[in-house]
C-alpha cells in the first residue's frame, strides 16, 4: 500500500509515518528510510532535527541519504520504504535543474511518480501540505508552493491512502483507493 502523509511544519507527520510503517511490517523486518535532505553540518538546528529523526528509528532500519529517490525506489521496489520528505526532494530538484525561475522539473517529477506507481511494497511518502502556509511573497516561494501543490496532488492520485496529520493526530483523507 502506498500512503501519502501530509501536514504542516512540526505537525507530527514524520513521526506518525514512522509509527505507521513500523506497524505495517512484520516485527524486525527491515524498513528503508530515504532522506533526501542535506546534512548541513554548519547548521546546528538542522543537524539537531536530523538527529532527532534518526534517534526515533529502530536500529535495524537502513537510512539512505540521497536526493535520487527515483533510483532508490526502482532499485528495491519490494523493500518497505519511507520517504521523508517530498518538499525537501522538490527543493533539491529545483536547485539541480536551475528551475526556480524559468526551468522545468517536469521530467524528474514524472520519473519519480513512475517509480512510486511501480513500487511493489509498503511505501510511505511524507510531504508538507502547502495549503497550511502563508502565500510566499517571492517568485521562488510561489514557484515552490505551486510545484509542491501539484506534486502532492499527483502523488495522492497514486496512493491508496492519504493522511493529514494535525497536532500529531491523523485524519484520513483517502483510504483503500477511494
Amino acid at each position: 500500500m502506498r500512503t501519502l502523509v501530509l501536514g504542516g511544519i512540526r505537525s507530527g507527520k514524520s513521526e506518525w509515518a514512522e509509527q505507521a510503517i513500523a506497524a505495517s511490517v512484520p516485527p524486525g523486518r527491515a524498513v528503508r528510510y530515504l532522506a533526501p535532505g542535506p546534512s548541513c553540518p554548519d547548521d546546528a538546528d538542522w543537524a539537531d532535527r536530523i538527529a532527532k529523526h534518526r534517534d526515533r528509528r529502530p536500529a535495524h532500519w537502513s537510512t539512505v541519504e540521497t536526493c535520487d529517490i527515483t533510483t532508490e525506489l526502482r532499485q528495491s521496489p519490494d523493500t518497505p520504504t519511507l520517504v521523508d520528505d517530498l518538499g525537501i526532494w522538490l527543493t533539491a530538484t529545483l536547485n539541480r535543474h536551475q528551475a526556480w525561475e524559468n526551468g522545468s522539473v517536469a521530467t524528474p517529477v514524472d520519473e519519480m511518480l513512475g517509480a512510486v506507481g511501480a513500487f511493489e511494497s509498503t511505501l510511505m511518502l511524507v510531504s508538507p501540505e502547502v495549503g497550511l502556509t502563508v502565500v510566499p511573497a517571492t517568485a521562488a516561494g510561489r514557484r515552490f508552493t505551486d510545484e509542491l501543490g501539484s506534486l502532492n496532488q499527483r502523488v495522492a492520485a497514486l496512493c491508496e491512502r492519504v493522511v493529514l496529520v494535525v497536532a500529531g493526530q491523523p485524519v484520513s483523507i483517502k483510504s483503500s483507493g477511494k
Side-chain angles (χ1 to χ4, degrees):
M1 176 181 290
R2 291 176 291 261
T3 302
L4 174 60
V5 182
L6 299 167
I9 296 168
R10 297 291 209 213
S11 63
K13 62 188 177 294
S14 296
E15 189 169 1
W16 186 88
E18 292 163 4
Q19 292 170 357
I21 198 167
S24 73
V25 299
R29 174 137 190 229
V31 171
R32 180 178 50 169
Y33 188 104
L34 299 182
S39 60
C40 300
D42 296 334
D43 184 338
D45 179 59
W46 186 252
D48 184 54
R49 288 172 187 241
I50 290 173
K52 286 178 181 173
H53 278 245
R54 280 189 190 128
D55 292 346
R56 280 196 313 250
R57 296 192 294 263
H60 66 279
W61 287 16
S62 66
T63 299
V64 180
E65 294 179 358
T66 179
C67 286
D68 191 1
I69 61 173
T70 301
T71 297
E72 291 294 329
L73 291 176
R74 287 183 177 150
Q75 284 179 346
S76 299
D78 56 346
T79 302
T81 299
L82 189 152
V83 178
D84 191 5
D85 85 30
L86 294 179
I88 294 171
W89 173 81
L90 180 61
T91 299
T93 301
L94 286 160
N95 286 339
R96 198 169 44 255
H97 293 272
Q98 300 175 347
W100 286 103
E101 292 182 18
N102 298 319
S104 174
V105 291
T107 298
V109 166
D110 289 346
E111 290 173 352
M112 191 273 292
L113 292 169
V116 168
F119 202 76
E120 299 170 1
S121 187
T122 302
L123 178 61
M124 293 271 174
L125 301 141
V126 177
S127 189
E129 172 49 48
V130 296
L132 299 177
T133 61
V134 176
V135 176
T138 65
R142 288 187 297 274
R143 172 74 190 265
F144 176 77
T145 57
D146 290 348
E147 292 288 346
L148 184 60
S150 174
L151 177 63
N152 284 346
Q153 289 178 49
R154 293 178 69 191
V155 171
L158 293 172
C159 289
E160 291 81 17
R161 181 168 65 161
V162 178
V163 175
L164 175 65
V165 178
V166 179
Q169 303 304 304
V171 179
S172 180
I173 303 298
K174 174 183 174 183
S175 62
S176 302
K178 294 179 185 176

